[in-house]
Amino acid sequence: MSHKLLYIVIIIGLIYFFYNSYSKSKKANNIIKKGAQVVDVRTPQEFNTGHFEGSVNIPLNTIENSIDKIKSFNKDIVVVCASGMRSGKANEILNSKGITSVNGGSWSNLK
């Protein structure tokens, strides 16, 4: 593969990544405006270094044991983490348990 083609592939990948991140945060922000609860699935240590105001910290490794707590919010859920990977996994788990949630990606992209 030539260097020129490699650069084009990298640029397209970066555009896709940033567009996907923007899309997630835009959708999440719209749902938050309607009263959704933000659930941050990072570790408590990460959460304590900064988090979205009003979010609750339920680490990914405890999400399955916290289903009743999450259901008790009686709201749509936006799950966030540092990059969108853990929140994506948490979103899959919540949706499989009948909880309406969306992957908000990185907590720092929320407004």
Side-chain angles (χ1 to χ4, degrees):
M1 185 183 301
S2 74
H3 290 298
K4 195 173 192 179
L5 182 58
L6 180 60
Y7 292 136
I8 291 170
V9 169
I10 290 170
I11 289 169
I12 290 171
L14 288 172
I15 290 169
Y16 174 78
F17 173 78
F18 286 111
Y19 176 77
N20 193 29
S21 293
Y22 170 77
S23 240
K24 282 180 189 174
S25 61
K26 184 175 181 184
K27 182 178 182 180
N29 283 317
N30 287 336
I31 294 170
I32 291 167
K33 286 178 188 175
K34 295 177 184 176
Q37 175 64 55
V38 177
V39 174
D40 191 319
V41 298
R42 295 177 298 151
T43 66
Q45 295 80 10
E46 290 174 291
F47 185 79
N48 289 333
T49 64
H51 54 271
F52 183 75
E53 186 177 340
S55 63
V56 295
N57 182 224
I58 303 175
L60 178 59
N61 66 343
T62 67
I63 204 90
E64 292 214 41
N65 295 328
S66 302
I67 297 300
D68 289 338
K69 177 180 181 176
I70 296 167
K71 284 182 177 180
S72 75
F73 296 142
N74 290 318
K75 299 178 179 184
D76 288 339
I77 304 295
V78 174
V79 285
V80 296
C81 64
S83 68
M85 297 297 287
R86 287 175 283 181
S87 56
K89 179 65 178 162
N91 187 56
E92 290 174 11
I93 293 167
L94 295 178
N95 289 174
S96 75
K97 302 291 184 182
I99 297 173
T100 302
S101 65
V102 297
N103 178 2
S106 172
W107 73 273
S108 62
N109 290 335
L110 300 181
K111 295 183 170 70

